[in-house]
Amino acid sequence: MGAGAPRGAGGPGEGGGLRASLSGLTTRGRSFVAAGIAAAACAYVLGQGALLRVGMLLALLPLICVYALHRTRYRVSGSRRLTPGRVPAGAEARVQLRMDNVSRLPTGLLMLQDRVPYVLGPRPRFVLDRVEPGGRREVSYRVRSDLRGRYPLGPLQLRLTDPFGLVELTRSFSTYDTLTVIPRTEPLPPVRLTGEANGYGDGSRRSLALAGDDDVIPRGYRRGDDLRRVHWRSTARYGELMVRREEQPQRSRATVLLDTRRLAFDGAGPDSAFEWAVSAAASSLVHVLEQGFSTRLLTDTGDAVPGEGGGGFSAGGQESAEAAGLMMDTLAVVVHSDGAGLSRAYDAVRGSGFGEGGDGLLVAFFGDLDDAQTEMAARMRQRTSGALAFVLDTRAWGGQPAPGHDVVPLEERLRRLRDAGWTALAARPGEAFGELWRQARAGRFGTGTSGGRE
């Protein structure tokens, strides 16, 4: 919620000076001044005293209105409430504006206007009648956008006019809010992703059960610990009370890789291949998070979201919800990169993404690939227990290969990825991502018994 100070940037009569107020003369006001000067000049030439008085009245009336508005000292505060602050593309958000008169004087007629980008719709304008001392007025409007992105709302503007419409002064509050429009998502059918029903495994528990008593890693006793968990051998060794660590279920890892290279996609707009890939990646992220996976978003630049800690994977609980919001915010503003290859993404997968044993789930969205990039994408499968690739048929979207970019034919790309162990599917315009995801039932997401462990 943004708020203006009681006598802040939005307070009429504050700031700008008398010279700035003169710039608020409307076309009618300027016409009055010009007519008055012309009448006075004619009166001087013709020697008509009555005409001179009329001319002076026409010229002075707008100036008197300017001075009166300039001296007006309304003390008002304004606020804005945006609900919600993050919406999918095509959905509406509600903006509520509130104006409080915190002075001891009533206001005159006020025109309230909020500045919004043109993609969110027309600029909302409201006329507020006299606001009594200590009174308030509330108005609201709705905004929507079919294009993802981050859009500023504000600052709130207050416009004052005189009764004759000769002067119009605008004052602005200093605060604004931001509406985040994230990609559209669709619910995906549950699929056995990595040999487990969800993102939790018991491999670590099994390892602890098979380990001997000497292999248990104890920790110091904390108030409230069950005395039955005291590890007496470690207690005798360290000279202080030690307990066995709790055996926690481990979260499987999943990486969603989005190819954003400019040369891999041709075209723009809500119906372009790139926007389809962004929306599908968002749906995948939501799905694997709901399945309990510790998840990260990776692009061809090698940048990982939510961060570099723990290989960039989200943690559980509240941190997982925050990471999900961060990933969706990233997809809201993701644009084409100028990279030529997938080497950085390959290094990220090979380095911190998955363990040496080749564990974890990888879901990738590829655009056009040349021979070298197809080979590199195929090798990413070696680091995972499950890998699913959606290869976009950019030609079907009407795209053309970038000059000097020798693209491997779609069927050849699919064959080489499948030979490397990927479950590779072609994505074409008009196909629902949920249906493609369902087709993965007939393929193999992976052969491992569990996802990667943290």
Side-chain angles (χ1 to χ4, degrees), residues 4-5 7-14 74 76 99 156 158 171-174:
R7 189 190 289 265
E14 290 295 323
Y74 298 146
V76 297
M99 187 66 59
L156 192 62
L158 203 60
R171 297 291 182 261
S172 297
F173 289 85
S174 58

Side-chain angles (χ1 to χ4, degrees), residues 219-232:
R219 62 168 175 82
Y221 175 82
R222 299 171 185 168
R223 186 175 180 178
D225 284 339
D226 190 346
L227 292 178
R228 290 174 296 181
R229 293 175 43 229
V230 172
H231 192 251
W232 296 108

